[in-house]
Amino acid sequence: MAGNGRGVVCLCTLGCAKNEVDSEKMRRRLSAAGYTFCDDAAAADVVVVNTCSFIQAATEESIQAVLEAFELPQVVEGRGAVVVAGCMPARYGAELERELPEAAAFVPCADESRIVEAVDRAMPAAPCEQVRAVAAAADAPVFSYVKISDGCDRRCAYCTIPDIRGAYHSFPFDDIAADVRAAIEAGAREVVLVAQDTGRWGADLGERHDIAWLLATLADAHPETLFRIMYVQPDGVTDRLLETIATHENIASYLDVPIQHVDASLLRAMRRGGDRQRFEQLADHIRTQVPNVTLRTTLIAGFPGETEAQFDELLDFAASGCFDYVGVFPYSREEGTEAFHLEGQLSEDEKERRAQVLRDTADAASAHAVSQRCGHVERVLIEGVEEDGQLFGRTQQQAPEVDGVTYVDAGDVGSFVKVMIEDTLLYDMEGSVRHESS
Ligand code: SF4
């Protein structure tokens, strides 16, 4: 066997933060079993591609990544192998196995605990002998995602997640607490709680447990760590949750509440509910309960039957700045979903056009909201250094990977500093350090 330990694995992750958490769990299992890791797929005995397939575009990207892995020299020569994990085998099962006979194994998300067994089986008899640089340990990230539940029972008409990830199930508190401890011990200064439906956490665990209790318990146990919660569905925004956020300095005053549209009839067709007035009232209520809160949402453009008037209403809502940040997605027609069969499907070009117009409108509103932060002092967690030596980090208004960064002039990676915001450019901000707080 080449390299150190049992063999060398390259983990390649596609998709969302939830998938990153699954990859991290696989990495821990493989590491405990004696495998080491490298970032260079060409130097690995086994390449594990953790796929995403919740929409067609994500599936295509995942297939492309798997096909590229099949072309790696060591795989072509039989000295390396490819394991396909995650959402794609969960969604397509035996059909995928027929389409990709070159893969050594398939590990759907529900079977993530079998990753060691699958990689053991995939390990080539004569593994990669070339000299390779095995990454000792990746630089510890200053933030870490922790997944608190999996699956979803809501069955929104356009969504494949319930079929891919199964029924909603909260992870037990002890497991979450252990993941949080492990993340902090590995160097995380910010922990981001994620799931398909975070606000529902605990509903299946007994009456004492809810997301407010979970968040408060974790924040109280780790006062030096910043906590953030993502993906709270509108009905999960309870006063208990808002009070917990408002009363803890180490919980980001930030809420990501996906609403998807503002037209009542389209929301009913999506099997979601709500309307513009309700969402505006919700946003107002959150802003009253949590001072200086930052709000993010996601919107879908081009859902089947969306009229020009309904789309204009959505544009008007995005322009109003009700939410500070808006993620925009063109509707994706997915087989196996209820919306696949709806009448009034728009062309791909029209969906893309609407999405782009909506994105531009939302970006202009966000840029205005972000520009209002000039002259304010914000606490920034320094995340890293760009190639040109520029330090960057994030304020509590900026969730990782979606809301831009803040460029700063001094400080150490992994520390919190107070920064006077002096300039902004779309989502990004720039400022100078006032004094270091930790
Ligand atoms: S809440 Fe709706 S969109 Fe989100 S994962 Fe569940 S079914 Fe999908």
Side-chain angles (χ1 to χ4, degrees):
M1 187 175 297
N4 305 320
R6 205 158 162 179
V8 180
V9 174
C10 175
L11 259 171
C12 163
T13 307
L14 294 110
C16 65
K18 274 98 56 182
N19 240 23
E20 285 181 35
V21 177
D22 291 349
S23 284
E24 181 54 25
K25 284 197 171 154
M26 286 192 260
R27 196 188 65 76
R28 276 193 231 139
R29 287 183 195 279
L30 290 164
S31 178
Y35 284 99
T36 51
F37 299 88
C38 66
D39 292 334
D40 179 7
D45 298 316
V46 176
V47 179
V48 177
V49 185
N50 189 12
T51 59
C52 172
S53 71
F54 88 112
I55 57 171
Q56 212 44 45
T59 304
E60 281 160 21
E61 199 185 333
S62 291
I63 287 175
Q64 189 56 37
V66 172
L67 295 179
E68 281 170 18
F70 289 159
E71 295 298 316
L72 291 165
Q74 79 273 26
V75 177
V76 172
E77 291 161 18
R79 295 176 293 108
V82 178
V83 171
V84 181
C87 292
M88 208 161 65
R91 185 169 179 191
Y92 296 106
E95 183 191 338
L96 188 73
E97 296 185 21
R98 278 194 302 278
E99 293 293 322
L100 300 173
E102 303 95 326
F106 295 87
V107 183
C109 15
D111 292 345
E112 169 249 299
S113 58
R114 289 199 305 105
I115 188 66
V116 174
E117 189 190 312
V119 171
D120 281 351
R121 250 188 302 124
M123 269 300 286
C128 212
E129 290 292 343
Q130 71 190 82
V131 179
R132 53 197 166 186
V134 176
D139 286 344
V142 300
F143 75 88
S144 185
Y145 294 111
V146 169
K147 199 157 80 170
I148 63 171
S149 67
D150 210 350
C152 187
D153 292 336
R154 289 184 186 260
R155 300 223 158 252
C156 299
Y158 51 83
C159 183
T160 56
I161 295 285
D163 289 327
I164 296 174
R165 295 270 171 178
Y168 181 87
H169 50 286
S170 302
F171 295 163
F173 171 74
D174 288 347
D175 291 2
I176 297 169
D179 284 349
V180 168
R181 271 197 308 276
I184 293 170
E185 280 162 17
R189 302 294 316 271
E190 175 177 341
V191 169
V192 184
L193 303 183
V194 295
Q196 267 79 31
D197 190 357
T198 45
R200 217 188 134 191
W201 184 85
D204 50 342
L205 292 181
E207 58 189 32
R208 181 166 161 254
H209 297 92
D210 68 2
I211 186 62
W213 175 85
L214 175 70
L215 202 47
T217 306
L218 293 172
D220 290 341
H222 303 284
E224 302 299 321
T225 304
L226 179 67
F227 286 84
R228 183 186 301 273
I229 182 172
M230 303 296 284
Y231 317 120
V232 183
Q233 298 293 332
D235 60 8
V237 183
T238 62
D239 281 350
R240 261 173 65 77
L241 177 61
L242 297 179
E243 189 188 345
T244 300
I245 294 173
T247 54
H248 284 77
E249 279 197 0
N250 64 328
I251 300 177
S253 296
Y254 181 102
L255 265 179
D256 172 29
V257 185
I259 61 170
Q260 313 302 9
H261 213 286
V262 293
D263 180 82
S265 63
L266 279 180
L267 283 162
R268 267 197 305 280
M270 289 179 178
R271 292 201 170 278
R272 289 187 60 88
D275 57 31
R276 178 169 181 168
Q277 195 187 6
R278 240 165 85 185
F279 295 144
E280 285 173 342
Q281 283 169 350
L282 178 65
D284 286 347
H285 182 63
I286 298 171
R287 290 189 194 280
T288 313
Q289 301 297 307
V290 186
N292 300 318
V293 71
T294 301
L295 295 179
R296 162 171 272 277
T297 193
T298 45
L299 298 174
I300 294 175
F303 190 76
E306 183 185 63
T307 63
E308 286 288 353
Q310 287 166 328
F311 179 62
D312 286 346
E313 182 75 10
L314 191 60
L315 280 182
D316 188 63
F317 176 78
S320 75
C322 184
F323 285 79
D324 301 270
Y325 298 107
V326 180
V328 173
F329 298 92
Y331 164 70
S332 179
R333 189 182 186 191
E334 297 297 320
E335 279 186 49
T337 64
E338 197 180 316
F340 184 87
H341 305 286
L342 289 177
E343 289 181 359
Q345 303 278 342
L346 303 179
S347 70
E348 293 304 314
D349 283 353
E350 180 58 13
K351 288 187 287 185
E352 229 0 286
R353 184 193 72 78
R354 291 188 188 190
Q356 194 53 51
V357 174
L358 183 58
R359 218 171 269 134
D360 292 344
T361 304
D363 278 351
S366 293
H368 176 72
V370 172
S371 71
Q372 301 305 299
R373 297 178 193 154
C374 275
H376 290 249
V377 174
E378 303 289 349
R379 193 164 176 252
V380 173
L381 170 57
I382 301 184
E383 275 197 287
V385 189
E386 293 199 333
E387 274 178 14
D388 62 1
Q390 173 71 59
L391 282 164
F392 66 93
R394 283 176 298 103
T395 68
Q396 65 167 325
Q397 301 146 328
Q398 295 171 311
E401 305 180 296
V402 285
D403 299 331
V405 296
T406 300
Y407 295 102
V408 297
D409 59 349
D412 299 320
V413 174
S415 67
F416 287 98
V417 291
K418 292 258 175 76
V419 173
M420 168 65 81
I421 303 299
E422 290 157 346
D423 200 4
T424 65
L425 180 63
L426 191 51
Y427 290 3
D428 293 338
M429 304 193 283
E430 188 179 6
S432 49
V433 170
R434 279 308 161 103
H435 67 86
E436 300 208 3
S437 60
S438 62

